[in-house]
Amino acid sequence: ELYQPPRTLPNSWYESLLAKKFEKHTGICSRSISDEDEVALAAQAIGRLVDQSRCRLDDCAALLFVSPSLIPQAVARKHLSREMARREQPTRLARELALSLKIAPRRVVGMNGFCSGYAKALSSLQHRVLPQLNLGTNEFVLLVTSSRISRITDYQCRASGALFGDFATATLISRRDSVRYPVHFDLLDAQFERQTSNQAFFDFSVRDNVLVPTRNGDREYQPRRVVFSLDGMGIADTAPRAMAQAAAEMVKKNRLAPDQIDCIVPHQAGRGIVRLTSMKLEQAGFAVEPINGHTAQTGNISSGSVPHALKQQWDSLHGRILCPVAAVGAPGKAEVSRGCILLRRQSRSNAMAG
């Protein structure tokens, strides 16, 4: 299920800060800004999942919490107080989320992963969590993505100030033979890895007098803020190749040919990047046209973009579905992360099979 905060920021707010062809290149018209923190955002998405699926939270055997808006500890300890730095720890917030839901899963895991976070979480689930979990037929795993990138955005940065939006998603993952939670997508494989690159595309810094939007849509300046910086052109050149490579390696690993893939749902970084990814995928032998265009009213929602696109295309996706992703690496490091998820459409239900 999905949760989009109600407060939106249109492109018109940026005025001259926005590149003239921004909307044409990205497809982004507006993005949401959350007044709630990552835990509260996640709880909103889970609440919608419970309402839609009628799942019982007491059946939750494991909770995976993914947040791309948390500041990595090496940066947080440098620029924030000890208590504020502790608030940036993914596993701590994952436990806080479990407490707020009044559940006691056998495993609680928190992670970042930035825009590759969904693939990272599913890979961790498949290769580490599930083999030790002994998931029951009436149990499920809850995978939540929660992004509040607005709180670390430098709105005056022409490269990244308008790219991202706040969003949360909740995915229910059950056994293939579950009757209580029948499967919609069968999780066949998930991979995640980091690779060295020729440069660092991403970092954090502390800025003074940072322009931010107010709750009523005006502008004000925050005296001091930890913000991220992004080499937009650099990652836009690198990410499409990384996603195509991840897709090619996934089909090879599973002894499939590219023409045996029926649908491709890549990370929705923006219309232009997905278009370039489509070209790289075609060069790798994939014939199907990737899903594109899910950023108009959300912006790039980072690790939430794949579950968001899967939900939007819920009834039209069929057969084998490939979801390649790519993202920046650790702050200040010359690396990128990439991953891929391989799914197979099953029934018309609300769960994914682990």
Side-chain angles (χ1 to χ4, degrees):
E1 265 307 318
L2 313 174
Y3 175 69
Q4 182 171 8
R7 183 157 69 99
T8 60
L9 191 69
N11 288 348
S12 57
W13 180 89
Y14 292 86
E15 298 178 346
S16 61
L17 296 175
L18 208 61
K20 290 183 179 180
K21 294 185 178 180
F22 173 83
E23 190 171 322
K24 179 181 178 181
H25 288 162
T26 65
I28 298 170
C29 302
S30 65
R31 72 287 299 146
S32 286
I33 297 178
S34 176
D35 298 319
E36 300 176 291
D37 65 16
E38 287 85 351
V39 172
L41 274 174
Q44 291 276 14
I46 293 169
R48 294 197 171 195
L49 177 66
V50 172
D51 290 342
Q52 291 295 320
S53 68
R54 301 300 177 186
C55 67
R56 308 171 189 175
L57 288 181
D58 287 344
D59 293 337
C60 179
L63 173 65
L64 276 70
F65 174 81
V66 183
S67 181
S69 55
L70 298 181
I71 301 171
Q73 283 299 291
V75 177
R77 287 193 294 266
K78 181 179 178 181
H79 297 299
L80 303 176
S81 67
R82 179 178 297 181
E83 180 55 33
M84 289 181 67
R86 282 167 54 84
R87 290 289 305 164
E88 304 295 333
Q89 296 174 355
T91 298
R92 183 176 188 225
L93 295 193
R95 294 191 184 112
E96 185 178 314
L97 176 60
L99 286 173
S100 73
L101 298 172
K102 298 179 180 179
I103 60 175
R106 297 194 295 279
R107 287 292 302 276
V108 177
V109 181
M111 65 184 70
N112 193 317
F114 303 109
C115 294
S116 296
Y118 196 63
K120 180 181 180 180
L122 286 175
S123 177
S124 176
L125 175 68
Q126 185 181 46
H127 301 294
R128 297 186 184 90
V129 177
L130 285 177
Q132 302 174 4
L133 191 62
N134 192 25
L135 189 67
T137 55
N138 291 329
E139 293 183 313
F140 61 82
V141 174
L142 202 53
L143 195 172
V144 186
T145 73
S146 182
S147 176
R148 196 189 173 203
I149 293 179
S150 62
R151 73 182 181 92
I152 53 172
T153 295
D154 180 355
Y155 284 92
Q156 287 177 286
C157 178
R158 291 175 66 86
S160 61
L163 280 179
F164 294 93
D166 296 346
F167 209 88
T169 73
T171 303
L172 188 152
I173 303 163
S174 61
R175 281 173 39 159
R176 293 182 180 91
D177 60 352
S178 177
V179 175
R180 181 176 294 178
Y181 303 111
V183 169
H184 187 91
F185 294 122
D186 193 356
L187 176 61
L188 302 179
D189 202 357
Q191 297 294 325
F192 168 85
E193 66 175 354
R194 292 187 178 89
Q195 286 188 323
T196 57
S197 63
N198 60 357
Q199 67 177 95
F201 299 106
F202 171 73
D203 210 346
F204 282 90
S205 62
V206 176
R207 300 283 176 86
D208 296 326
N209 298 318
V210 179
L211 178 69
V212 296
T214 63
R215 291 189 177 187
N216 64 3
D218 290 335
R219 298 179 172 199
E220 66 180 11
Y221 288 87
Q222 187 172 329
R224 185 176 184 269
R225 171 179 271 210
V226 178
V227 297
F228 72 92
S229 57
L230 182 70
D231 180 352
M233 294 297 291
I235 197 65
D237 178 64
T238 301
R241 290 199 304 273
M243 283 193 273
Q245 290 166 0
E249 291 174 9
M250 177 62 82
V251 295
K252 183 179 180 181
K253 180 189 174 199
N254 285 273
R255 299 181 179 180
L256 297 171
D259 61 6
Q260 290 179 283
I261 299 300
D262 301 289
C263 302
I264 299 179
V265 184
H267 166 48
Q268 302 290 294
R271 183 185 296 159
I273 289 182
V274 176
R275 192 180 300 120
L276 290 172
T277 303
S278 177
M279 295 170 59
K280 298 299 181 183
L281 287 166
E282 185 177 357
Q283 292 171 10
F286 293 92
V288 63
E289 184 69 21
I291 299 295
N292 196 357
H294 286 289
T295 57
Q297 305 304 320
T298 64
N300 178 340
I301 51 175
S302 192
S303 57
S305 83
V306 167
H308 172 248
L310 289 173
K311 181 65 175 179
Q312 296 299 321
Q313 301 289 327
W314 196 252
D315 292 323
S316 62
L317 295 172
H318 61 280
R320 294 187 184 93
I321 304 152
L322 208 59
C323 306
V325 299
V328 296
K333 288 191 175 182
E335 64 179 22
V336 295
S337 67
R338 66 176 191 175
C340 195
I341 305 158
L342 179 60
L343 306 172
R344 181 169 55 209
R345 171 67 181 269
Q346 295 289 352
S347 64
R348 294 178 178 274
S349 62
N350 293 303
M352 183 185 294

